[in-house]
Amino acid sequence: MEQIGAAALPVIIGVILLFGFLRGVDVFDAFVSGAKEGIHTTLGLLPTLIGLIVAVSMVRASGLLEVLCALCEPLAKTVGISTEVLPLALLRPISGSGSSAYTLSLLEQFGPDSETGKIASVLASSTETTFYAVTVYFGAVGCKKLRHTLPAALLGDCMAVALSVATVKFFSGF
C-alpha cells in the first residue's frame, strides 16, 4: 500500500503532462508562467503576513492574552466554559500554530477523554484562524474593506465556541 501512495504523485504528474502534450499545450511554458504568477502572489502577500506574524508575537509576548482571559473569565464561568479552554477560544482566531500547541498542552494536562480535552478538540476543529484567513484571502485580491467579513467571521467563531461546549456537555450525558 505504501508503494501505491509513493507512486501516486509521479503518476498524476505524468498524466497531466501527457494530457497537455495530447492537447498541444506547451507544458513547460505553462509551468514557468504559473510559477512566475505564484511568486508574484507570494511577494504581494508577504508584507501582510509579516504584519500578522508580528501582531501574533506581540499578543503572546505582551501578556494581552492573559489579560483578555481574566476579563472574560466571569462570563465564561456563567456560560459554563472551562477557564482552561478560554485561552484556546481567544487564541484560535489569531494563531493556528499557537492554538494547536495550546490544544496539545490541554490534552497532555487533562487527557483526551476529559471534558476539557473533548471541548478543546471540538473547538480546535470547528473554528477558523479568522485573522490569518482574512489576511491571506483578502490580501491576495487586494481588498482592504472588511466591513461585514470580520464581524461575521468572529461571530461564527463565538458560536463555534458555544456550540463546542454545548455539544460536548450534551453528548457526555449519554
Side-chain angles (χ1 to χ4, degrees), residues 22-111:
L22 293 175
R23 300 272 299 195
V25 174
D26 188 351
V27 178
F28 184 73
D29 281 346
F31 170 78
V32 170
S33 172
K36 284 180 184 176
E37 186 176 325
I39 289 173
H40 184 265
T41 301
T42 302
L43 291 175
L45 287 174
L46 199 57
T48 309
L49 288 174
I50 289 172
L52 181 65
I53 290 168
V54 168
V56 168
S57 299
M58 288 173 53
V59 165
R60 282 188 190 162
S62 69
L64 180 61
L65 184 63
E66 289 79 17
V67 170
L68 289 174
C69 287
L71 290 173
C72 294
E73 193 172 329
L75 177 65
K77 284 182 180 179
T78 304
V79 178
I81 297 174
S82 169
T83 56
E84 291 87 10
V85 178
L86 193 56
L88 176 62
L90 294 173
L91 188 60
R92 181 70 180 147
I94 299 169
S95 170
S97 60
S99 62
S100 294
Y102 190 77
T103 301
L104 182 61
S105 72
L106 287 175
L107 294 176
E108 288 172 350
Q109 183 178 358
F110 295 98

Side-chain angles (χ1 to χ4, degrees), residues 78-160:
T78 304
V79 178
I81 297 174
S82 169
T83 56
E84 291 87 10
V85 178
L86 193 56
L88 176 62
L90 294 173
L91 188 60
R92 181 70 180 147
I94 299 169
S95 170
S97 60
S99 62
S100 294
Y102 190 77
T103 301
L104 182 61
S105 72
L106 287 175
L107 294 176
E108 288 172 350
Q109 183 178 358
F110 295 98
D113 292 329
S114 67
E115 184 176 83
T116 300
K118 289 176 185 177
I119 291 172
S121 297
V122 174
L123 177 63
S125 63
S126 63
T127 54
E128 178 60 71
T129 52
T130 302
F131 290 101
Y132 175 80
V134 167
T135 298
V136 170
Y137 299 133
F138 279 70
V141 296
C143 184
K144 292 181 175 34
K145 295 182 181 179
L146 306 175
R147 182 175 176 197
H148 298 295
T149 303
L150 205 51
L154 291 174
L155 180 62
D157 285 334
C158 290
M159 288 305 300

Side-chain angles (χ1 to χ4, degrees), residues 153-173:
L154 291 174
L155 180 62
D157 285 334
C158 290
M159 288 305 300
V161 170
L163 291 174
S164 295
V165 172
T167 301
V168 169
K169 288 186 183 282
F170 176 77
F171 284 111
S172 292

